[in-house]
Amino acid sequence: MKIGLLYYKGILTDEDVRSFEDVFNGEGIEFKALDKTGQIIASIDDLDSVFTVVLNCIGTSGVLYSLSASAAWDSLKMMMGYIVNKTKEKMVYRVTSKSTEEKNITISLQTSVNNNDFHFKFEGLKETEELNQALDKILSFINEQYQKPKQDNKKTYITTFDRQLEEWVTRDFLEELRRKYND
């Protein structure tokens, strides 16, 4: 398994990133971090978060169940919790050629299963207990996706955690765009 982190320096320090790397490497997981500071990014708000954790879990659903009981998953939860706590009440600025806009910090986890991309959004999950619950539900969600037949056409899904249902809910990204721009 591989884990990636896309982030902005200044919110996370080099020491923070090194400590994540040490923890994951100690668990035998390849960890890569990429600082996006100063990079020009053509962004689509629904897909581009300030912090993005990329989970590359090549394998089968059985790998995921063994992951859920491992220290590696606890390390991922620890990193996500640290990022959420460190970014509470903080804002970032999006600068374009025409304006500067203050925006909330967004956090997501991205993975691909059966030729589909899933962007798990963590907006509103600020308490450790609900964050951990949502993260644990990701493993079940991914396992369900592995049980479905692989699709020929790649799809991208925006996935948000419904606190009342206590499950991840998906929306087809292209369908959302069509609705947004056809209304």
Side-chain angles (χ1 to χ4, degrees):
M1 182 170 76
K2 299 176 185 177
I3 294 178
L5 173 65
L6 306 175
Y7 72 102
Y8 289 94
K9 191 184 280 189
I11 299 171
L12 287 182
T13 65
D14 290 338
E15 185 178 318
D16 292 333
V17 174
R18 272 193 304 277
S19 93
F20 297 150
E21 186 173 20
D22 290 344
V23 167
F24 287 116
N25 288 342
E27 296 297 329
I29 294 173
E30 186 179 336
F31 177 79
K32 299 283 184 190
L34 176 65
D35 176 13
K36 299 190 298 184
T37 305
Q39 293 183 11
I40 297 172
I41 299 171
S43 71
I44 299 174
D45 284 338
D46 287 334
L47 298 180
D48 186 42
S49 296
V50 174
F51 289 93
T52 303
V53 174
V54 180
L55 182 61
N56 183 356
C57 49
I58 300 167
T60 64
S61 60
V63 172
L64 292 173
Y65 278 120
S66 64
L67 175 64
S68 68
S70 75
W73 188 250
D74 289 337
S75 298
L76 180 85
K77 288 168 52 175
M78 177 273 311
M79 180 179 72
M80 292 293 288
Y82 182 83
I83 292 169
V84 166
N85 286 328
K86 191 152 186 177
T87 59
K88 274 186 187 176
E89 311 299 324
K90 293 190 178 174
M91 305 290 277
V92 292
Y93 293 93
R94 176 174 38 215
V95 179
T96 67
S97 62
K98 297 179 183 181
S99 67
T100 299
E101 177 183 4
E102 189 174 58
K103 298 192 60 94
N104 290 321
I105 290 178
T106 53
I107 302 168
S108 66
L109 185 142
Q110 295 177 11
T111 194
S112 293
V113 179
N114 286 347
N115 206 31
N116 292 316
D117 291 333
F118 294 92
H119 297 259
F120 295 90
K121 307 302 242 172
F122 288 86
E123 280 84 21
L125 299 175
K126 300 295 182 195
E127 301 304 319
T128 303
E129 184 177 309
E130 65 184 1
L131 177 65
N132 285 337
Q133 178 189 26
L135 283 164
D136 286 338
K137 297 277 183 171
I138 284 177
L139 291 175
S140 300
F141 179 90
I142 293 172
N143 185 52
E144 289 171 16
Q145 303 313 305
Y146 272 117
Q147 305 310 314
K148 295 177 181 178
K150 190 172 185 175
Q151 296 182 357
D152 291 333
N153 297 330
K154 186 174 188 116
K155 288 195 170 194
T156 300
Y157 294 98
I158 304 300
T159 312
T160 54
F161 190 72
D162 185 312
R163 289 189 198 116
Q164 290 180 329
L165 296 174
E166 296 183 350
E167 65 183 29
W168 289 95
V169 178
T170 60
R171 298 181 329 266
D172 183 307
F173 174 67
L174 290 178
E175 290 299 319
E176 290 284 315
L177 275 181
R178 285 184 191 112
R179 270 194 288 270
K180 186 177 183 177
Y181 292 106
N182 288 332
D183 289 343

